[in-house]
Amino acid sequence: MNAPIRNHDVAELKRLDLAHHLPAQADHKVIAELGGSRIVTRADGCYITDGDGHRILDGMAGLWCVNVGYGRKELADAAYEQMLELPYYNTFFKTATPPTVKLAAKIAEKMGGHLTHVFFNSSGSEANDTVFRLVRHYWKLKGQPNRTVFISRWNAYHGSTVAGVSLGGMKHMHVQGDLPIPGVEHVMQPYPFGEGFGEDPAAFRDRAVKEIEDKILEVGPENVAAFIGEPVQGAGGVIIPPDGYWPAVEAVCRKYGILLVCDEVICGFGRLGQWFGHQHYGIKPDLIAMAKGLSSGYLPISAVGVADHIVAELREKGGDFIHGFTYSGHPTCAAVALKNIEIIEREDLITRTREDTGPYLAKALARLNDHPLVGETRSLGLIGAVEIVREKGTNHRFLDKEGEAGPIVRDICIRNGLMVRAIRDSIVCCPPLIVSHAEIDELVGIIEKSLTEAEPILRALKPEAVS
């Protein structure tokens, strides 16, 4: 019998990684050239450790999700206790389980008001698939079957499934799979630095909102089912809309009687200093998708919050909503999510993010604005971005091409002990909500050091180096 492979057997794990594992959203040629993936073996608080012993500050909270930090024994205990009592049962066959029902009630409490019900899934992508099908089903029940079209934004991210990629606005993802599917239209994103540089903020806001209304009129209001958007676009590069954008978008939706959907997969559970991002902006969506921070990534679970008027239609008209997943409302995942919310409540991480660490991160990032490579820093709550530019005072990119500088700076950051993400030429961060002032200073300090180390490399870039 072969001896078990322990976490510290990194060479063997990398060999097996190359031999059998296909990592998510990866250039598999690059992974092969590197000799396998970085093997992360343990984590605690805001830090991860890899198999080579490198301790890295996790400036991305895993993948925008480990809100309460790593090493929470309470969450492990919640899973263990639930597994002993009832590890799994489904929500088909007119059944439910105690943790699932309790979690639905707790989420409804946090959503507040008209968002009264919850449909469970396992991932943010599945949540947005549920939104897609539920919205179209709702309009058929309402006797308006022509309302099938979703309006989204370019550069939005709504998941990796066929429907999720279609709802999203990332053209490089559309190319793989001949997407989007019919019935999805896209409009400009509210990205002032990239698409409205130097423009009056109010004028830029009005232009972005007008494009939504123009698209509704182009498609025909009678054909539009919903507008979907992230309160702050995360994977798009931490795109924070200008003041007044979301209330104006909501007003357009109400004007034409279409549903408003907020994708809260990243913004939910405290990231912006409120339980949900739409609460920060003071709007009332008809549906919200959530995942990630719901369990702080400890177990896979997602949900869709549904407004009372949609539920009323489902119950009045009857008939099966023929949709759901094997793991919808998984009791162990629900138990962990309940405990996760309890921790967020007990430690008051929402208020702390809004009033303490969020403003501290904003001030710390602002110190980078004097750096010759920084065009802008921006943040809201505990999510932020640093824009890299070739010329100070402009939004000009190295080699006049987006995405040349970001990966270089990102790799240097990781080498210097900080896990961040490069989205085009933005270095984005999203630390756990438990992050301390000292850890924020460390995060920003490593970004500054890495920018300085990257500058001569970037200045030496030549057009012929572009592949």
Side-chain angles (χ1 to χ4, degrees), residues 52-72:
D52 295 314
H54 300 123
R55 190 168 184 258
I56 303 168
L57 177 60
D58 188 4
M60 286 304 301
L63 198 59
W64 322 84
C65 59
V66 188
N67 287 9
V68 301
Y70 297 98
R72 293 282 191 163

Side-chain angles (χ1 to χ4, degrees), residues 308-365:
D308 48 15
H309 68 92
I310 295 175
V311 176
E313 200 69 25
L314 294 173
R315 290 180 172 173
E316 179 184 337
K317 299 295 171 58
D320 286 348
F321 176 43
I322 311 169
H323 177 74
F325 304 96
T326 300
Y327 301 122
S328 291
H330 192 291
T332 302
C333 298
V336 170
L338 275 167
K339 182 59 68 173
N340 176 66
I341 292 172
E342 180 185 313
I343 291 170
I344 295 172
E345 290 174 324
R346 186 178 70 232
E347 298 183 6
D348 202 9
L349 294 178
I350 307 294
T351 303
R352 184 170 181 264
T353 298
R354 182 174 64 251
E355 299 181 3
D356 179 15
T357 49
Y360 192 87
L361 175 64
K363 290 180 182 178
L365 286 172

Side-chain angles (χ1 to χ4, degrees), residues 145-208:
N146 290 337
R147 282 191 181 262
T148 60
V149 176
F150 279 73
I151 296 175
S152 180
R153 280 110 44 114
W154 292 117
N155 202 35
Y157 184 80
H158 298 297
S160 287
T161 57
V162 169
V165 171
S166 297
L167 287 171
M170 296 188 171
K171 295 179 181 179
H172 64 286
M173 296 185 77
H174 289 168
V175 170
Q176 295 180 349
D178 298 320
L179 302 172
I181 57 177
V184 182
E185 301 284 340
H186 295 89
V187 297
M188 68 179 286
Q189 59 183 328
Y191 180 21
F193 189 84
E195 300 191 21
F197 191 83
E199 189 173 350
D200 174 74
F204 176 76
R205 175 202 65 212
D206 293 346
R207 180 161 67 88

Side-chain angles (χ1 to χ4, degrees), residues 12 39 41 91 126 225-226 233 244 270 310 408 430-431 452 464:
E12 178 64 1
I39 307 297
T41 56
T91 56
E126 287 182 6
Q233 288 168 246
I310 295 175
I408 292 172
C430 177
T452 299
E464 59 269 20

Side-chain angles (χ1 to χ4, degrees), residues 77-88 332:
D77 289 342
Y80 174 74
E81 291 165 8
Q82 183 59 44
M83 283 185 174
L84 290 179
E85 183 172 335
L86 178 66
Y88 166 75
T332 302

Side-chain angles (χ1 to χ4, degrees), residues 80-399:
Y80 174 74
E81 291 165 8
Q82 183 59 44
M83 283 185 174
L84 290 179
E85 183 172 335
L86 178 66
Y88 166 75
Y89 202 70
N90 62 72
T91 56
F92 290 46
F93 317 133
K94 304 180 181 66
T95 64
T97 67
T100 306
V101 173
K102 291 177 183 177
L103 180 59
K106 176 59 75 171
I107 292 172
E109 172 193 314
K110 298 307 180 187
M111 292 188 297
H114 68 298
L115 292 163
T116 54
H117 285 72
V118 176
F119 188 104
F120 287 109
N121 324 266
S122 297
S123 70
S125 298
E126 287 182 6
N128 281 316
D129 270 33
T130 296
V131 165
F132 190 82
R133 292 195 63 194
L134 180 55
V135 164
R136 286 183 164 185
H137 180 59
Y138 166 78
W139 284 117
K140 286 183 179 179
L141 292 177
K142 291 280 287 183
Q144 300 181 55
N146 290 337
R147 282 191 181 262
T148 60
V149 176
F150 279 73
I151 296 175
S152 180
R153 280 110 44 114
W154 292 117
N155 202 35
Y157 184 80
H158 298 297
S160 287
T161 57
V162 169
V165 171
S166 297
L167 287 171
M170 296 188 171
K171 295 179 181 179
H172 64 286
M173 296 185 77
H174 289 168
V175 170
Q176 295 180 349
D178 298 320
L179 302 172
I181 57 177
V184 182
E185 301 284 340
H186 295 89
V187 297
M188 68 179 286
Q189 59 183 328
Y191 180 21
F193 189 84
E195 300 191 21
F197 191 83
E199 189 173 350
D200 174 74
F204 176 76
R205 175 202 65 212
D206 293 346
R207 180 161 67 88
V209 174
K210 183 176 185 297
E211 191 161 316
I212 298 170
E213 184 166 21
D214 288 347
K215 181 61 71 173
I216 293 170
L217 294 173
E218 175 191 327
V219 173
E222 71 281 3
N223 299 315
V224 180
F227 174 83
I228 184 170
E230 305 151 87
V232 169
Q233 288 168 246
V238 183
I239 307 304
I240 301 171
D243 289 346
Y245 171 83
W246 271 114
V249 170
E250 182 181 25
V252 169
C253 290
R254 302 308 171 216
K255 178 179 178 180
Y256 295 100
I258 71 175
L259 298 177
L260 175 59
V261 182
C262 283
D263 182 339
E264 298 272 9
V265 170
I266 289 175
C267 296
F269 300 96
R271 183 55 55 189
L272 305 188
Q274 298 287 348
W275 280 100
F276 294 99
H278 72 269
Q279 294 166 343
H280 170 82
Y281 289 107
I283 60 174
K284 293 183 176 181
D286 299 288
L287 301 101
I288 65 174
M290 65 193 83
K292 296 189 183 288
L294 174 55
S295 70
S296 286
Y298 276 62
L299 283 177
I301 185 170
S302 69
V304 176
V306 185
D308 48 15
H309 68 92
I310 295 175
V311 176
E313 200 69 25
L314 294 173
R315 290 180 172 173
E316 179 184 337
K317 299 295 171 58
D320 286 348
F321 176 43
I322 311 169
H323 177 74
F325 304 96
T326 300
Y327 301 122
S328 291
H330 192 291
T332 302
C333 298
V336 170
L338 275 167
K339 182 59 68 173
N340 176 66
I341 292 172
E342 180 185 313
I343 291 170
I344 295 172
E345 290 174 324
R346 186 178 70 232
E347 298 183 6
D348 202 9
L349 294 178
I350 307 294
T351 303
R352 184 170 181 264
T353 298
R354 182 174 64 251
E355 299 181 3
D356 179 15
T357 49
Y360 192 87
L361 175 64
K363 290 180 182 178
L365 286 172
R367 296 198 295 267
L368 300 177
N369 284 324
D370 292 332
H371 196 283
L373 293 184
V374 174
E376 174 185 88
T377 63
R378 57 181 178 268
S379 67
L380 178 58
L382 283 173
I383 188 170
V386 179
E387 291 272 7
I388 303 168
V389 295
R390 185 184 77 239
E391 299 173 33
K392 199 75 177 169
T394 74
N395 65 352
H396 298 162
R397 309 298 186 177
F398 281 91
L399 301 181

